[in-house]
Structures are given as structure tokens and as C-alpha cells.
Amino acid sequence: MSSSKVQASPSTPKPQQVGVPAIRDRKGGEPLVMVTAYDAPSARAAIAAGVDLILVGDSLGMVVLGYDDTLKVTMEDMVSHTSAVARTTPPQLVVADMPWTSYHQGAFNAVANAARLVGAGAGAVKLEGGTKRLEVLRAILDAEIPVMGHLGLTPQSVHAMGGFRVQGRRPDQAKLLVEDAIAISESGCFAIVLEGIPEGVAAEITEAVPVPTIGIGAGRACDGQVLVFHDIVGLGGTRAPRFARRYGDLEALAGQAVAQWAADVRGERYPSANETYL
Ligand code: KIV
């Protein structure tokens, strides 16, 4: 069992949380840094690194639950993983993804699901889509829950897109993306993730909206960047996308560590006297 404490004791003051207005005010300033975390160890790494935002992304379905896409991620999964991240009491704003179908069945249902994520410790929720999501977006905002938007390659639309494909290459598609970004920012989204779109389109959107854009596979013009934790540290398993820059190889290190322990067990070098209760 890990020796590091996850839960703060009741007497430990909770660090001051960075709020939504502070994130919104970063438009055009120092680039925002957001990273995914799905559990306490990855959240502690994000806290130690001093990122600006932690995203409990539904990418957890592909990265840690072994699914081919994000569509099988449930509200229960998101509540459980958001709670695990929140128990590390991050000073960062924790944004939780609304999973597929949790906001597609009417505003009442969407608000109830967003509220469950806030109850689990999220300070904001993220949902995919533009103009067609305006009704639920406004309803969630009316419940005083901040919303981050997500446009471009929206993984929950994998079937509609015909695969995980870069979006907005055609001028008509790019125009729609700009319109969607303006519509959701005017409705009150405090930031927008732009995923898998050409750099020029991301630049146009970033110019057109008053809120920060946070890019992933969207080039250099965005107001910030987000990556999946497992891609950064090399725990991805599968082939990482072109934009994912890897800074470590934890998967190889973990394999080596377990292999060394297995060799010690088989060679009767583990456990030692020091690792034994007498
Ligand atoms: O689920 C996720 O991790 C995301 C990021 C890729 C932005 O939505």
C-alpha cells in the first residue's frame, strides 16, 4: 500500500481553489495548462507539477478502462474517478467530463447529472458539441455550474464522424466550428477545448471568442494546451497520436520493476528479514 496520504485530515485547511473567473481571465495571457487525471496518483502528479486545471476526462474509458472509445463510460465511472481526484484536495479547478448520453436526454436530466459530478468534487463540467447543445448548456449554467465546451474532434461523436478524424479541414466545416465556438461562448462557457482541428481554424476561433481556447491537436494559437496524463508519462499502451509529446516511459519502468521483484521472489531474495514481521 502506498505510504502517501490521499485524504486531508479534517484539521488540514483546504488550499485556496483557483476559480473559473481566474481561468477566464487568462485569455490571451500565459498559456493555460490542463492535464487529465483519473485517480489519486495522477492527480498528485498534476498538483505537484502546478498545472492550471485538472480534467477528469472520459478518455479514462480508453486510457484506463480498456474500451475502444469513450462511449461506454458511465456516470458512475465519472463520479467514482472524479471523487478519487477530488480527495487529493487539488488547489486546481477540477473539470469533469459529462459522459455520452448524460446530457442528451433533456435539460432536467443533464442538470441532475452535472450536479452529481459537482457533488463528487468537480468545480466545472465539460460537454461536447456546439449550437445543438445550447439548451442543456444554458440549463446547467442556470444551475450555477460552470461549463467548459469541447469542439472539433469530439470523441463521443466517433460514429457520426466516421472515426477519430481531424475536423474542420473543409471551409464549410471550419465556418461551422467558428459559429459553434461563438455560440457556446456567448451562452456562457468559460473556456473551450479545441481538439483535432487545423491550426489555422483554431487560430480563427481563438481570435473570435472572448474565452480561453485550450487545444489538443489544434496547434500553437490556442490560449492553452491539454494532454492526457498517460500520454505524457508513457503509460499509454497503444500508439500515441501525433500531437502527444511523451516525457517518460513509465510503462517500461513499471514492467522492469515488477520483473525485478518477480526475480527476487523466485530467487528467494524477497522478502528479507526487514520486510518481515517477527
Ligand atoms: O476526455 C478527455 O481526456 C478530453 C481531452 C482529450 C480534452 O476530453
Side-chain angles (χ1 to χ4, degrees):
M1 200 176 108
S2 160
S3 58
S4 44
K5 271 172 67 179
V6 172
Q7 213 159 355
S9 78
S11 58
T12 312
K14 207 174 168 206
Q16 179 90 42
Q17 272 227 320
V18 176
V20 163
I23 298 297
R24 203 190 287 117
D25 287 351
R26 291 276 294 275
K27 174 78 186 173
E30 188 188 11
L32 285 162
V33 179
M34 180 162 83
V35 68
T36 64
Y38 315 115
D39 54 18
S42 52
R44 282 195 298 266
I47 294 167
V51 301
D52 298 304
L53 299 125
I54 296 179
L55 173 66
V56 188
D58 62 353
S59 53
L60 76 88
M62 301 174 77
V63 179
V64 296
L65 300 180
Y67 298 134
D68 287 341
D69 55 43
T70 59
L71 302 182
K72 294 174 196 72
V73 176
T74 63
M75 272 303 296
E76 284 62 39
D77 293 329
M78 292 309 303
V79 166
S80 167
H81 287 269
T82 300
S83 305
V85 168
R87 281 193 288 270
T88 65
T89 63
Q92 287 87 356
L93 182 69
V94 174
V95 182
D97 257 339
M98 299 200 64
W100 185 55
T101 72
S102 72
Y103 55 98
H104 305 72
Q105 299 177 76
F108 182 83
N109 182 252
V111 173
N113 284 326
R116 280 185 72 193
L117 295 172
V118 172
V125 298
K126 175 164 81 59
L127 56 84
E128 298 180 5
T131 314
K132 64 182 166 192
R133 300 281 165 244
L134 288 184
E135 192 196 336
V136 286
L137 173 57
R138 291 194 187 111
I140 296 169
L141 289 167
D142 270 357
E144 311 301 344
I145 300 173
V147 181
M148 178 180 279
H150 186 159
L151 297 173
L153 193 174
T154 44
Q156 292 173 11
S157 314
V158 59
H159 296 310
M161 293 182 303
F164 295 105
R165 292 170 193 284
V166 172
Q167 301 294 301
R169 281 210 163 109
R170 287 202 329 253
D172 58 318
Q173 291 174 335
K175 184 170 171 284
L176 279 180
L177 281 174
V178 178
E179 285 168 6
D180 276 345
I182 291 172
I184 63 174
S185 67
E186 281 178 351
S187 294
C189 274
F190 71 95
I192 306 173
V193 166
L194 299 178
E195 178 168 357
I197 61 175
E199 185 169 63
V201 180
E204 202 180 326
I205 293 173
T206 301
E207 183 78 25
V209 297
V211 298
T213 57
I214 304 180
I216 176 162
R220 294 159 288 185
C222 297
D223 297 300
Q225 297 290 331
V226 52
L227 277 184
V228 167
F229 172 84
H230 291 62
D231 287 340
I232 298 174
V233 302
L235 263 177
T238 53
R239 200 169 65 87
R242 169 190 170 114
F243 55 77
R245 191 179 291 181
R246 177 175 284 203
Y247 291 84
D249 194 355
L250 291 196
E251 197 142 316
L253 280 180
Q256 284 161 18
V258 176
Q260 281 173 23
W261 174 71
D264 282 349
V265 171
R266 292 185 183 123
E268 300 183 16
R269 294 180 297 277
Y270 177 89
S272 67
N274 285 343
E275 290 156 330
T276 304
Y277 297 110
L278 301 174

Coordinates of all heavy atoms in Angstrom, one line a residue, residues 182-256:
I182 N -18.5 30.6 -31.2 CA -19.1 31.9 -30.8 C -20.4 31.7 -30.0 O -20.6 32.3 -28.9 CB -19.3 32.8 -32.0 CG1 -18.0 33.2 -32.6 CG2 -20.2 34.0 -31.7 CD1 -18.0 33.9 -34.0
A183 N -21.2 30.7 -30.5 CA -22.5 30.5 -29.8 C -22.3 30.0 -28.4 O -23.0 30.5 -27.5 CB -23.3 29.5 -30.6
I184 N -21.4 29.0 -28.2 CA -21.3 28.5 -26.8 C -20.6 29.5 -25.9 O -20.8 29.5 -24.7 CB -20.6 27.1 -26.7 CG1 -19.2 27.0 -27.3 CG2 -21.5 26.1 -27.5 CD1 -18.5 25.7 -27.1
S185 N -19.7 30.3 -26.4 CA -19.0 31.3 -25.5 C -20.0 32.4 -25.2 O -20.1 32.8 -24.0 CB -17.7 31.8 -26.2 OG -18.0 32.6 -27.3
E186 N -20.8 32.8 -26.1 CA -21.9 33.8 -25.8 C -22.9 33.3 -24.8 O -23.4 34.0 -24.0 CB -22.6 34.2 -27.1 CG -21.7 35.2 -27.9 CD -22.4 35.7 -29.2 OE1 -23.4 35.1 -29.6 OE2 -21.9 36.6 -29.8
S187 N -23.1 31.9 -24.8 CA -24.0 31.4 -23.9 C -23.5 31.2 -22.5 O -24.2 30.9 -21.6 CB -24.5 30.0 -24.4 OG -25.3 30.2 -25.6
G188 N -22.1 31.3 -22.4 CA -21.6 31.3 -21.0 C -20.5 30.3 -20.7 O -20.0 30.2 -19.6
C189 N -20.1 29.5 -21.7 CA -18.9 28.6 -21.5 C -17.7 29.4 -21.0 O -17.5 30.5 -21.6 CB -18.5 27.9 -22.7 SG -19.4 26.4 -23.1
F190 N -17.0 29.0 -20.0 CA -15.9 29.8 -19.5 C -14.6 29.5 -20.3 O -13.6 30.2 -20.2 CB -15.7 29.7 -18.0 CG -15.1 28.3 -17.6 CD1 -13.8 28.1 -17.4 CD2 -16.0 27.2 -17.4 CE1 -13.2 26.9 -17.0 CE2 -15.5 26.0 -17.0 CZ -14.1 25.9 -16.8
A191 N -14.5 28.4 -21.0 CA -13.3 28.0 -21.8 C -13.8 27.0 -22.8 O -14.9 26.3 -22.6 CB -12.2 27.5 -20.9
I192 N -13.0 26.8 -23.9 CA -13.4 25.8 -24.9 C -12.2 24.9 -25.3 O -11.2 25.5 -25.6 CB -13.9 26.5 -26.2 CG1 -15.1 27.4 -25.8 CG2 -14.4 25.4 -27.2 CD1 -15.5 28.3 -27.0
V193 N -12.4 23.6 -25.2 CA -11.4 22.7 -25.7 C -11.5 22.6 -27.2 O -12.7 22.4 -27.7 CB -11.5 21.3 -25.0 CG1 -10.7 20.3 -25.8 CG2 -11.0 21.4 -23.5
L194 N -10.4 22.7 -27.9 CA -10.5 22.5 -29.4 C -9.6 21.3 -29.6 O -8.4 21.3 -29.4 CB -9.9 23.8 -30.1 CG -10.6 25.1 -29.9 CD1 -9.9 26.2 -30.6 CD2 -12.1 25.0 -30.3
E195 N -10.2 20.3 -30.1 CA -9.5 19.0 -30.3 C -9.4 18.7 -31.8 O -10.5 18.7 -32.5 CB -10.2 17.9 -29.6 CG -9.5 16.5 -29.8 CD -9.9 15.4 -28.8 OE1 -10.7 15.7 -27.9 OE2 -9.4 14.3 -29.0
G196 N -8.3 18.3 -32.3 CA -8.1 17.7 -33.6 C -8.6 18.6 -34.7 O -9.5 18.1 -35.6
I197 N -8.2 19.8 -34.8 CA -8.6 20.7 -35.9 C -7.3 21.4 -36.4 O -6.3 21.6 -35.7 CB -9.6 21.8 -35.5 CG1 -9.1 22.7 -34.4 CG2 -10.9 21.1 -35.0 CD1 -10.1 23.8 -34.1
P198 N -7.3 21.9 -37.7 CA -6.1 22.5 -38.2 C -5.8 23.8 -37.5 O -6.7 24.5 -36.9 CB -6.6 22.9 -39.7 CG -7.7 22.0 -40.0 CD -8.4 21.7 -38.7
E199 N -4.5 24.1 -37.4 CA -4.0 25.2 -36.6 C -4.7 26.5 -37.0 O -5.0 27.4 -36.2 CB -2.5 25.3 -36.8 CG -1.9 26.4 -35.9 CD -0.4 26.3 -35.9 OE1 0.2 26.5 -37.0 OE2 0.2 26.1 -34.9
G200 N -4.9 26.7 -38.3 CA -5.5 28.0 -38.8 C -6.9 28.2 -38.3 O -7.3 29.3 -38.0
V201 N -7.7 27.1 -38.2 CA -9.1 27.1 -37.8 C -9.1 27.4 -36.3 O -9.8 28.2 -35.8 CB -9.8 25.8 -38.1 CG1 -11.3 25.9 -37.6 CG2 -9.8 25.5 -39.5
A202 N -8.1 26.8 -35.5 CA -8.0 27.1 -34.1 C -7.7 28.5 -33.8 O -8.2 29.2 -32.9 CB -7.0 26.1 -33.5
A203 N -6.8 29.1 -34.7 CA -6.4 30.5 -34.6 C -7.6 31.4 -34.8 O -7.8 32.4 -34.0 CB -5.3 30.8 -35.5
E204 N -8.4 31.0 -35.8 CA -9.6 31.9 -36.1 C -10.6 31.8 -34.9 O -11.1 32.9 -34.5 CB -10.2 31.3 -37.4 CG -11.1 32.3 -38.1 CD -11.7 31.7 -39.3 OE1 -11.1 30.9 -40.0 OE2 -12.9 32.1 -39.7
I205 N -10.8 30.6 -34.4 CA -11.7 30.5 -33.2 C -11.2 31.3 -32.0 O -11.9 32.0 -31.4 CB -11.9 29.0 -32.9 CG1 -12.7 28.3 -34.0 CG2 -12.7 28.9 -31.6 CD1 -12.8 26.8 -33.8
T206 N -9.9 31.1 -31.8 CA -9.3 31.8 -30.6 C -9.4 33.3 -30.7 O -9.7 34.0 -29.7 CB -7.8 31.4 -30.5 OG1 -7.7 29.9 -30.4 CG2 -7.1 32.0 -29.3
E207 N -9.3 33.8 -31.9 CA -9.5 35.2 -32.2 C -10.9 35.7 -32.0 O -11.2 36.8 -31.5 CB -9.0 35.5 -33.7 CG -9.0 36.9 -34.2 CD -7.9 37.7 -33.7 OE1 -6.8 37.1 -33.4 OE2 -8.0 38.9 -33.6
A208 N -11.8 34.7 -32.4 CA -13.3 35.1 -32.4 C -14.0 35.1 -31.1 O -15.0 35.7 -30.9 CB -14.0 34.2 -33.4
V209 N -13.4 34.3 -30.1 CA -14.2 34.2 -28.8 C -13.5 34.9 -27.7 O -12.2 35.0 -27.7 CB -14.4 32.7 -28.5 CG1 -15.2 32.0 -29.5 CG2 -13.0 31.9 -28.3
P210 N -14.2 35.4 -26.7 CA -13.6 36.1 -25.6 C -13.1 35.2 -24.4 O -12.7 35.7 -23.4 CB -14.8 37.0 -25.1 CG -16.0 36.2 -25.4 CD -15.7 35.4 -26.7
V211 N -13.3 33.9 -24.6 CA -12.9 33.0 -23.5 C -11.7 32.2 -24.0 O -11.4 32.0 -25.2 CB -14.0 32.0 -23.1 CG1 -15.2 32.8 -22.6 CG2 -14.5 31.1 -24.3
P212 N -10.9 31.6 -23.1 CA -9.7 30.9 -23.5 C -10.1 29.6 -24.3 O -11.0 28.9 -24.0 CB -9.0 30.5 -22.2 CG -9.6 31.3 -21.1 CD -11.0 31.7 -21.6
T213 N -9.3 29.3 -25.3 CA -9.3 28.1 -26.0 C -8.2 27.2 -25.5 O -7.1 27.7 -25.3 CB -9.2 28.2 -27.5 OG1 -8.0 28.9 -27.8 CG2 -10.4 29.1 -28.1
I214 N -8.5 25.9 -25.3 CA -7.4 25.0 -24.8 C -7.3 23.9 -25.9 O -8.3 23.2 -26.1 CB -7.8 24.5 -23.4 CG1 -8.1 25.6 -22.5 CG2 -6.7 23.5 -22.9 CD1 -8.4 25.2 -21.0
G215 N -6.2 23.8 -26.5 CA -6.0 22.9 -27.6 C -5.4 21.6 -27.3 O -4.6 21.4 -26.4
I216 N -5.9 20.6 -28.1 CA -5.2 19.3 -28.1 C -5.2 18.8 -29.5 O -6.3 18.6 -30.1 CB -5.9 18.3 -27.1 CG1 -5.3 16.9 -27.2 CG2 -7.5 18.2 -27.3 CD1 -5.6 15.9 -26.1
G217 N -4.1 18.8 -30.1 CA -4.0 18.5 -31.6 C -4.6 19.7 -32.4 O -5.3 19.5 -33.4
A218 N -4.5 20.9 -31.8 CA -5.1 22.1 -32.5 C -4.1 23.2 -32.7 O -4.4 24.3 -33.0 CB -6.3 22.6 -31.7
G219 N -2.8 22.8 -32.6 CA -1.8 23.8 -33.0 C -1.4 24.8 -31.9 O -1.7 24.6 -30.7
R220 N -0.7 25.8 -32.3 CA 0.0 26.7 -31.4 C -0.7 28.0 -31.1 O -0.3 28.7 -30.2 CB 1.4 27.1 -32.0 CG 2.3 25.9 -32.1 CD 3.4 26.1 -33.2 NE 2.9 26.1 -34.5 CZ 3.6 26.1 -35.6 NH1 4.9 26.3 -35.5 NH2 3.0 26.1 -36.8
A221 N -1.9 28.2 -31.7 CA -2.5 29.6 -31.5 C -3.5 29.6 -30.3 O -4.0 30.6 -29.9 CB -3.3 30.0 -32.7
C222 N -3.7 28.4 -29.7 CA -4.7 28.4 -28.6 C -4.2 29.1 -27.4 O -3.0 29.3 -27.2 CB -5.1 26.9 -28.3 SG -5.8 26.0 -29.7
D223 N -5.2 29.4 -26.5 CA -4.8 30.1 -25.2 C -4.2 29.1 -24.2 O -3.8 29.5 -23.1 CB -6.0 30.8 -24.6 CG -6.6 31.9 -25.5 OD1 -5.8 32.8 -25.8 OD2 -7.7 31.7 -26.0
G224 N -4.2 27.8 -24.5 CA -3.7 26.8 -23.6 C -3.6 25.5 -24.3 O -4.0 25.4 -25.4
Q225 N -3.1 24.5 -23.5 CA -2.9 23.2 -24.1 C -3.4 22.2 -23.1 O -3.3 22.4 -21.9 CB -1.5 22.9 -24.5 CG -0.9 23.8 -25.5 CD -1.5 23.5 -26.9 OE1 -1.9 22.4 -27.3 NE2 -1.5 24.6 -27.8
V226 N -3.9 21.1 -23.6 CA -4.3 19.9 -22.7 C -3.7 18.7 -23.3 O -3.7 18.5 -24.5 CB -5.8 19.8 -22.5 CG1 -6.6 19.8 -23.8 CG2 -6.2 18.6 -21.6
L227 N -3.2 17.8 -22.4 CA -2.8 16.4 -22.9 C -3.3 15.4 -21.9 O -3.6 15.7 -20.7 CB -1.3 16.3 -23.0 CG -0.6 16.8 -24.3 CD1 0.9 16.5 -24.3 CD2 -1.3 16.2 -25.6
V228 N -3.4 14.2 -22.3 CA -3.7 13.1 -21.5 C -2.5 12.7 -20.7 O -1.4 12.5 -21.2 CB -4.2 11.9 -22.4 CG1 -4.3 10.6 -21.6 CG2 -5.6 12.2 -23.0
F229 N -2.7 12.6 -19.3 CA -1.6 12.3 -18.4 C -0.8 11.0 -18.9 O 0.4 11.1 -18.9 CB -2.2 12.0 -17.0 CG -1.2 11.5 -16.0 CD1 -0.4 12.3 -15.3 CD2 -1.1 10.1 -15.8 CE1 0.5 11.8 -14.4 CE2 -0.2 9.6 -14.8 CZ 0.6 10.5 -14.1
H230 N -1.5 10.0 -19.3 CA -0.8 8.7 -19.6 C 0.0 8.9 -20.9 O 1.0 8.2 -21.1 CB -1.9 7.6 -19.8 CG -2.5 7.2 -18.5 ND1 -3.2 8.1 -17.8 CD2 -2.5 6.0 -17.8 CE1 -3.6 7.5 -16.7 NE2 -3.2 6.2 -16.7
D231 N -0.3 9.8 -21.8 CA 0.5 10.1 -23.0 C 1.8 10.8 -22.6 O 2.8 10.5 -23.2 CB -0.3 10.9 -24.0 CG -1.4 10.1 -24.7 OD1 -1.3 8.8 -24.7 OD2 -2.3 10.7 -25.3
I232 N 1.7 11.7 -21.6 CA 2.9 12.5 -21.2 C 3.9 11.6 -20.6 O 5.1 11.7 -20.8 CB 2.5 13.6 -20.3 CG1 1.5 14.6 -20.9 CG2 3.7 14.4 -19.8 CD1 1.0 15.7 -20.0
V233 N 3.4 10.7 -19.7 CA 4.3 9.9 -18.9 C 4.7 8.6 -19.5 O 5.5 7.8 -18.9 CB 3.8 9.7 -17.4 CG1 3.6 11.1 -16.7 CG2 2.6 8.8 -17.4
G234 N 4.0 8.2 -20.6 CA 4.4 7.0 -21.3 C 3.7 5.8 -20.6 O 4.4 4.7 -20.4
L235 N 2.4 5.9 -20.3 CA 1.7 4.8 -19.8 C 0.5 4.4 -20.7 O -0.4 3.8 -20.3 CB 1.1 5.2 -18.4 CG 1.8 4.8 -17.1 CD1 1.1 5.3 -15.9 CD2 2.0 3.3 -17.0
G236 N 0.7 4.9 -21.9 CA -0.4 4.8 -22.9 C -0.8 3.4 -23.4 O -1.9 3.2 -23.7
G237 N 0.2 2.6 -23.5 CA -0.1 1.3 -24.1 C -0.1 1.3 -25.6 O 0.8 0.9 -26.3
T238 N -1.2 2.0 -26.1 CA -1.4 2.0 -27.6 C -0.5 3.1 -28.2 O 0.0 3.9 -27.5 CB -2.8 2.2 -27.9 OG1 -3.3 3.4 -27.2 CG2 -3.7 1.0 -27.6
R239 N -0.5 3.2 -29.5 CA 0.3 4.2 -30.2 C -0.3 5.6 -29.9 O -1.5 5.8 -30.0 CB 0.2 3.9 -31.7 CG 1.3 4.6 -32.5 CD 1.3 4.0 -33.9 NE 0.1 4.4 -34.6 CZ -0.1 5.5 -35.3 NH1 0.9 6.4 -35.4 NH2 -1.2 5.7 -35.9
A240 N 0.6 6.5 -29.5 CA 0.1 7.8 -29.1 C -0.2 8.6 -30.4 O 0.5 8.5 -31.4 CB 1.1 8.5 -28.2
P241 N -1.1 9.6 -30.3 CA -1.4 10.4 -31.5 C -0.2 11.4 -31.8 O 0.6 11.6 -30.9 CB -2.6 11.2 -31.1 CG -2.8 11.0 -29.7 CD -2.1 9.8 -29.3
R242 N -0.2 11.9 -33.0 CA 0.9 12.8 -33.4 C 1.2 13.9 -32.5 O 2.4 14.3 -32.3 CB 0.5 13.3 -34.8 CG 1.3 14.4 -35.4 CD 0.5 15.0 -36.6 NE 1.1 16.2 -37.1 CZ 1.7 16.3 -38.3 NH1 1.7 15.3 -39.1 NH2 2.2 17.5 -38.6
F243 N 0.2 14.5 -31.9 CA 0.4 15.7 -31.0 C 0.8 15.4 -29.6 O 1.2 16.2 -28.8 CB -0.9 16.5 -31.0 CG -2.1 15.7 -30.5 CD1 -2.3 15.4 -29.2 CD2 -3.0 15.2 -31.4 CE1 -3.3 14.6 -28.7 CE2 -4.1 14.5 -31.0 CZ -4.3 14.2 -29.7
A244 N 0.8 14.1 -29.2 CA 1.1 13.7 -27.8 C 2.6 13.6 -27.6 O 3.2 12.8 -28.2 CB 0.4 12.4 -27.5
R245 N 3.1 14.6 -26.9 CA 4.6 14.5 -26.6 C 4.8 13.7 -25.3 O 4.3 14.1 -24.3 CB 5.2 15.9 -26.5 CG 6.7 15.9 -26.5 CD 7.3 17.3 -26.4 NE 7.0 18.1 -27.6 CZ 7.5 19.3 -27.8 NH1 8.2 19.9 -26.8 NH2 7.3 20.0 -28.8
R246 N 5.7 12.7 -25.4 CA 6.0 11.8 -24.3 C 7.2 12.2 -23.6 O 8.3 12.4 -24.2 CB 6.1 10.4 -24.9 CG 6.4 9.3 -23.9 CD 6.5 8.0 -24.5 NE 5.1 7.5 -24.7 CZ 4.8 6.2 -24.8 NH1 5.7 5.3 -24.8 NH2 3.5 5.8 -25.0
Y247 N 7.1 12.4 -22.3 CA 8.3 12.9 -21.5 C 8.8 11.8 -20.6 O 9.7 12.0 -19.8 CB 7.9 14.1 -20.6 CG 7.6 15.3 -21.4 CD1 6.4 15.5 -22.0 CD2 8.6 16.3 -21.6 CE1 6.1 16.7 -22.8 CE2 8.4 17.4 -22.4 CZ 7.1 17.6 -23.0 OH 6.9 18.7 -23.7
G248 N 8.3 10.6 -20.6 CA 8.7 9.5 -19.8 C 8.3 8.2 -20.4 O 7.6 8.1 -21.4
D249 N 8.7 7.1 -19.8 CA 8.3 5.7 -20.2 C 8.0 4.9 -19.0 O 8.6 3.9 -18.7 CB 9.4 5.1 -21.1 CG 8.9 3.9 -21.8 OD1 7.8 3.5 -21.6 OD2 9.7 3.3 -22.6
L250 N 6.9 5.3 -18.3 CA 6.6 4.7 -17.1 C 6.1 3.2 -17.3 O 6.3 2.4 -16.4 CB 5.4 5.4 -16.3 CG 5.8 6.8 -15.7 CD1 4.7 7.2 -14.7 CD2 7.2 6.8 -15.1
E251 N 5.6 3.0 -18.5 CA 5.1 1.6 -18.7 C 6.3 0.6 -18.7 O 6.3 -0.4 -18.1 CB 4.4 1.5 -20.1 CG 3.6 0.2 -20.2 CD 2.3 0.5 -20.9 OE1 1.6 1.5 -20.6 OE2 1.9 -0.3 -21.7
A252 N 7.4 1.1 -19.4 CA 8.6 0.2 -19.4 C 9.2 0.1 -18.0 O 9.6 -1.0 -17.5 CB 9.7 0.8 -20.3
L253 N 9.3 1.3 -17.3 CA 9.8 1.3 -15.9 C 9.0 0.3 -15.0 O 9.6 -0.4 -14.2 CB 9.8 2.7 -15.3 CG 10.9 3.6 -15.7 CD1 10.7 5.0 -15.0 CD2 12.2 3.0 -15.3
A254 N 7.7 0.4 -15.1 CA 6.8 -0.5 -14.3 C 7.1 -1.9 -14.6 O 7.2 -2.8 -13.7 CB 5.4 -0.1 -14.5
G255 N 7.2 -2.2 -15.9 CA 7.4 -3.6 -16.3 C 8.8 -4.1 -15.7 O 8.8 -5.2 -15.2
Q256 N 9.8 -3.2 -15.8 CA 11.1 -3.6 -15.2 C 11.0 -3.8 -13.7 O 11.6 -4.8 -13.2 CB 12.1 -2.5 -15.5 CG 12.6 -2.5 -16.9 CD 13.3 -1.2 -17.3 OE1 13.7 -0.4 -16.4 NE2 13.4 -0.9 -18.5

